[in-house]
Short mmCIF file of all heavy atoms in Angstrom, two decimals:
data_model
loop_
_atom_site.label_atom_id
_atom_site.label_comp_id
_atom_site.label_asym_id
_atom_site.label_seq_id
_atom_site.Cartn_x
_atom_site.Cartn_y
_atom_site.Cartn_z
N ASN A 17 5.87 -12.69 24.75
CA ASN A 17 5.14 -11.44 24.54
C ASN A 17 3.82 -11.65 23.79
O ASN A 17 3.15 -10.68 23.44
CB ASN A 17 6.00 -10.43 23.80
CG ASN A 17 7.17 -9.93 24.63
OD1 ASN A 17 7.13 -9.96 25.85
ND2 ASN A 17 8.23 -9.48 23.96
N ASN A 35 -6.66 -7.77 1.35
CA ASN A 35 -6.54 -6.48 0.65
C ASN A 35 -7.23 -6.50 -0.71
O ASN A 35 -7.03 -5.59 -1.52
CB ASN A 35 -5.06 -6.12 0.46
CG ASN A 35 -4.36 -5.86 1.76
OD1 ASN A 35 -4.93 -5.31 2.69
ND2 ASN A 35 -3.09 -6.24 1.84
N ASP A 36 -8.04 -7.50 -0.96
CA ASP A 36 -8.72 -7.65 -2.26
C ASP A 36 -9.97 -6.77 -2.28
O ASP A 36 -11.10 -7.25 -2.36
CB ASP A 36 -9.08 -9.12 -2.45
CG ASP A 36 -9.64 -9.42 -3.83
OD1 ASP A 36 -9.34 -8.66 -4.78
OD2 ASP A 36 -10.38 -10.42 -3.96
N HIS A 74 10.10 -9.27 -21.99
CA HIS A 74 9.19 -9.74 -23.03
C HIS A 74 8.25 -8.62 -23.46
O HIS A 74 8.10 -7.60 -22.78
CB HIS A 74 8.42 -10.98 -22.56
CG HIS A 74 7.81 -10.84 -21.20
ND1 HIS A 74 6.65 -10.15 -20.97
CD2 HIS A 74 8.21 -11.30 -19.98
CE1 HIS A 74 6.34 -10.20 -19.69
NE2 HIS A 74 7.28 -10.89 -19.05
N THR A 82 2.76 1.05 -21.00
CA THR A 82 2.11 2.13 -21.74
C THR A 82 0.67 2.33 -21.26
O THR A 82 0.22 3.47 -21.03
CB THR A 82 2.11 1.83 -23.25
OG1 THR A 82 3.46 1.74 -23.71
CG2 THR A 82 1.39 2.93 -24.03
N GLU A 91 3.69 10.30 -17.33
CA GLU A 91 4.53 10.25 -18.52
C GLU A 91 5.00 8.83 -18.80
O GLU A 91 4.99 8.38 -19.96
CB GLU A 91 5.73 11.19 -18.36
CG GLU A 91 5.37 12.66 -18.33
CD GLU A 91 6.61 13.52 -18.22
OE1 GLU A 91 7.24 13.81 -19.27
OE2 GLU A 91 6.98 13.89 -17.08
N LEU A 118 12.48 13.16 4.07
CA LEU A 118 11.59 13.45 5.20
C LEU A 118 10.33 12.61 5.01
O LEU A 118 9.60 12.79 4.03
CB LEU A 118 11.25 14.93 5.25
CG LEU A 118 12.46 15.90 5.15
CD1 LEU A 118 11.98 17.34 5.30
CD2 LEU A 118 13.52 15.57 6.18
N ILE A 131 14.94 3.39 2.61
CA ILE A 131 15.64 4.56 3.15
C ILE A 131 16.90 4.14 3.90
O ILE A 131 17.94 4.80 3.81
CB ILE A 131 14.68 5.35 4.08
CG1 ILE A 131 13.60 6.05 3.23
CG2 ILE A 131 15.45 6.39 4.91
CD1 ILE A 131 12.49 6.67 4.06
N ALA A 136 21.39 9.04 1.77
CA ALA A 136 20.81 10.34 2.12
C ALA A 136 20.55 10.43 3.62
O ALA A 136 20.45 9.41 4.32
CB ALA A 136 19.51 10.56 1.35
N LYS A 137 20.42 11.66 4.11
CA LYS A 137 20.02 11.87 5.50
C LYS A 137 18.50 11.72 5.57
O LYS A 137 17.79 12.21 4.70
CB LYS A 137 20.43 13.27 5.96
CG LYS A 137 21.93 13.55 5.89
CD LYS A 137 22.21 14.98 6.34
CE LYS A 137 23.69 15.28 6.30
NZ LYS A 137 24.23 15.37 4.91
N CYS A 190 5.39 21.43 -0.58
CA CYS A 190 6.53 21.00 -1.39
C CYS A 190 6.90 22.06 -2.43
O CYS A 190 8.08 22.32 -2.68
CB CYS A 190 6.21 19.67 -2.08
SG CYS A 190 6.14 18.27 -0.95
N ARG A 228 5.05 8.37 -8.15
CA ARG A 228 3.97 7.63 -7.50
C ARG A 228 4.29 6.15 -7.57
O ARG A 228 4.73 5.66 -8.62
CB ARG A 228 2.63 7.88 -8.20
CG ARG A 228 2.00 9.21 -7.91
CD ARG A 228 0.70 9.36 -8.71
NE ARG A 228 0.94 9.81 -10.07
CZ ARG A 228 0.05 9.76 -11.06
NH1 ARG A 228 -1.15 9.23 -10.84
NH2 ARG A 228 0.34 10.20 -12.26
N GLY A 233 -0.94 -5.77 -5.66
CA GLY A 233 -1.33 -6.91 -4.85
C GLY A 233 -2.51 -6.63 -3.95
O GLY A 233 -2.90 -7.48 -3.15
N ILE A 274 -1.93 -8.09 -14.81
CA ILE A 274 -1.92 -6.67 -14.46
C ILE A 274 -2.63 -5.86 -15.55
O ILE A 274 -3.48 -5.00 -15.27
CB ILE A 274 -0.48 -6.18 -14.29
CG1 ILE A 274 0.19 -6.86 -13.08
CG2 ILE A 274 -0.43 -4.65 -14.15
CD1 ILE A 274 1.69 -6.67 -13.02
N GLN A 319 -10.21 -0.06 8.27
CA GLN A 319 -10.84 0.48 9.48
C GLN A 319 -10.22 -0.24 10.68
O GLN A 319 -10.34 -1.47 10.79
CB GLN A 319 -12.35 0.25 9.45
CG GLN A 319 -13.06 0.86 8.24
CD GLN A 319 -13.29 2.34 8.38
OE1 GLN A 319 -13.39 2.86 9.49
NE2 GLN A 319 -13.42 3.05 7.26
N MET A 328 -5.35 -9.31 24.64
CA MET A 328 -6.74 -8.86 24.54
C MET A 328 -7.22 -8.82 23.10
O MET A 328 -8.29 -9.33 22.76
CB MET A 328 -6.89 -7.48 25.18
CG MET A 328 -8.29 -6.88 25.05
SD MET A 328 -9.54 -7.83 25.94
CE MET A 328 -9.16 -7.33 27.62
N SER A 367 -21.49 -7.83 2.22
CA SER A 367 -22.87 -7.32 2.25
C SER A 367 -23.04 -6.37 3.43
O SER A 367 -22.29 -6.43 4.41
CB SER A 367 -23.86 -8.48 2.37
OG SER A 367 -23.77 -9.08 3.66
N LEU A 378 -18.79 -7.17 17.66
CA LEU A 378 -17.69 -6.44 18.28
C LEU A 378 -18.19 -5.65 19.49
O LEU A 378 -17.53 -5.64 20.54
CB LEU A 378 -17.03 -5.51 17.27
CG LEU A 378 -15.90 -4.63 17.79
CD1 LEU A 378 -14.73 -5.47 18.28
CD2 LEU A 378 -15.43 -3.64 16.73
N THR A 380 -20.58 -6.30 21.48
CA THR A 380 -20.86 -7.17 22.64
C THR A 380 -19.58 -7.69 23.27
O THR A 380 -19.54 -7.97 24.47
CB THR A 380 -21.73 -8.38 22.22
OG1 THR A 380 -20.99 -9.21 21.30
CG2 THR A 380 -23.02 -7.92 21.57
#
Side-chain angles (χ1 to χ4, degrees):
N17 292 335
N35 294 324
D36 187 25
H74 48 78
T82 298
E91 292 182 85
L118 311 183
I131 289 171
K137 300 179 179 70
C190 290
R228 284 178 277 165
I274 294 167
Q319 303 280 334
M328 176 64 76
S367 69
L378 177 63
T380 65

